[in-house]
Each structure stands twice: as structure tokens, then as C-alpha cells.
Amino acid sequence: QKEVEQNSGPLSVPEGAIASLNCTYSDRGSQSFFWYRQYSGKSPELIMFIYSNGDKEDGRFTAQLNKASQYVSLLIRDSQPSDSATYLCAVESSGSRLTFGEGTQLTVNP
Amino acid sequence: EAGVAQSPRYKIIEKRQSVAFWCNPISGHATLYWYQQILGQGPKLLIQFQNNGVVDDSQLPKDRFSAERLKGVDSTLKIQPAKLEDSAVYLCASSLVREIGELFFGEGSRLTVL
């Protein structure tokens, strides 16, 4: 089992729709969870982090965490073409290592 | 504030040759990371430094890869000898010690091994 697993994608949504990106992790001791966005040919950049169960909202982005189910998600409301990118889920596991998933490629169609 | 600096941006070498990548983290960031990102995959941690010390190098192929961080600032990642499967982007990142997980990445060094 991979430490961090994401929807294989690619995911395509129309402009204005909600994009839902999912991630599961294997280490029950993980405490910190991150979403990075990576545009094609560019480096990852942090967009959200969440430490507690529940929802965390930042503008059009909402991160959701359920530690009991070992599940993290990212919702993007009112998706824009500029949101088209690969979204990487990252989990800080025991020993403070940050492990990334393979990423989900999102395309927002105008 | 200056970001993470990396060089060279691109490098093409023949298999069995050697290559070195350099990274200068954001000023004041004690933790420095080297990640390998193969096309279509997520970044994979190779080595993590905190100041001068190695925190995690469990996924570093030590028979061919080496890394050092001089005086707790700049870092160099070396590959010798290179294999075809080492073709990837090598990403350097840094973070404040208390904010592990909130990484700032450099632009990366793209390596092609022929």
C-alpha cells in the first residue's frame, strides 16, 4: 500500500463547477496534511494545510480532514481555467518526513 | 524576500558520468530538502537536513548519490555514476524548523541522462 494515494485522474470540470480532489494515507500517526499545486513545468507551491479534523476554508478552497478514515480532500469552488494544474497531497508522517502523493491533474474547461 | 535558488536549471549527461546540483535556501530556513520528481510522479524525498545535520536520508541511493550542506546554508547533491533512471527534476526546498510541511521550492534542476 502506498503511503499517500490520490485519485489517478485526470479530472476535467467545466468553469464555475466544484472540483473535488481526494487523498488517503496509511500512517495513522500522521498529524499534518498539505495540498500543493504544481503548474506544468513549474515547482509545487503550497495552497492549503490542515491539522485538525473537519473543514478549513480559504477563499475558493476548502480542505477537509477525517483522521478516523485517513482521508483528506480539497474542494475548489467556482473553478477557473487558471486552476488547471496538478494537485499534490502531502502528509507529514512519523519522523517528520513529508510524503507526496502522485498528484491529480485537474483541467478546468472554459 | 529571495526564494530558493538552484543551479543548473538543465543538465544533459551520458550514463556513467557525474553531475552536481547546487541549492541556496531562503535565508533563515534551517531545514533543507532534496526531492526527486520523475515525470508524471509526485516528488520523492531523497534527503532532509536540519542545519548541518541529516534528518532523513533513508531513500537516498547512497551507492551513487551524495549530498552535503555546508555551514547549514548551501547544499550540493551529487550523482556518480548516473543511470538512465536518474532522469528527473531535482527539487530543492526549504522551510522554517517549526513549520515542517510548509515547503518553499526552488525552480528545480532538470537532469536528462542519455
Side-chain angles (χ1 to χ4, degrees), chain A residues 18-106:
Chain A
I18 296 175
S20 177
L21 303 158
N22 304 314
C23 173
T24 58
Y25 59 95
S26 60
D27 183 354
R28 280 199 170 274
S30 299
Q31 294 296 321
S32 306
F33 308 86
F34 305 84
W35 284 99
Y36 282 77
R37 177 175 62 199
Q38 187 171 28
Y39 290 115
S40 181
K42 301 295 185 182
S43 293
E45 56 177 338
L46 179 67
I47 55 171
M48 289 282 291
F49 58 86
I50 186 166
Y51 302 141
S52 304
N53 278 329
D55 294 359
K56 179 181 178 182
E57 188 174 315
D58 183 1
R60 295 185 295 110
F61 297 93
T62 299
Q64 299 175 317
L65 173 61
N66 183 326
K67 290 185 180 179
S69 300
Q70 295 175 245
Y71 176 88
V72 191
S73 67
L74 179 70
L75 300 178
I76 306 175
R77 290 183 302 280
D78 188 23
S79 295
Q80 301 297 309
S82 58
D83 295 326
S84 298
T86 295
Y87 289 80
L88 297 162
C89 173
V91 177
E92 185 187 343
S93 55
S94 324
S96 300
R97 177 193 298 174
L98 190 67
T99 301
F100 286 83
E102 299 287 287
T104 299
Q105 185 178 341
L106 171 67

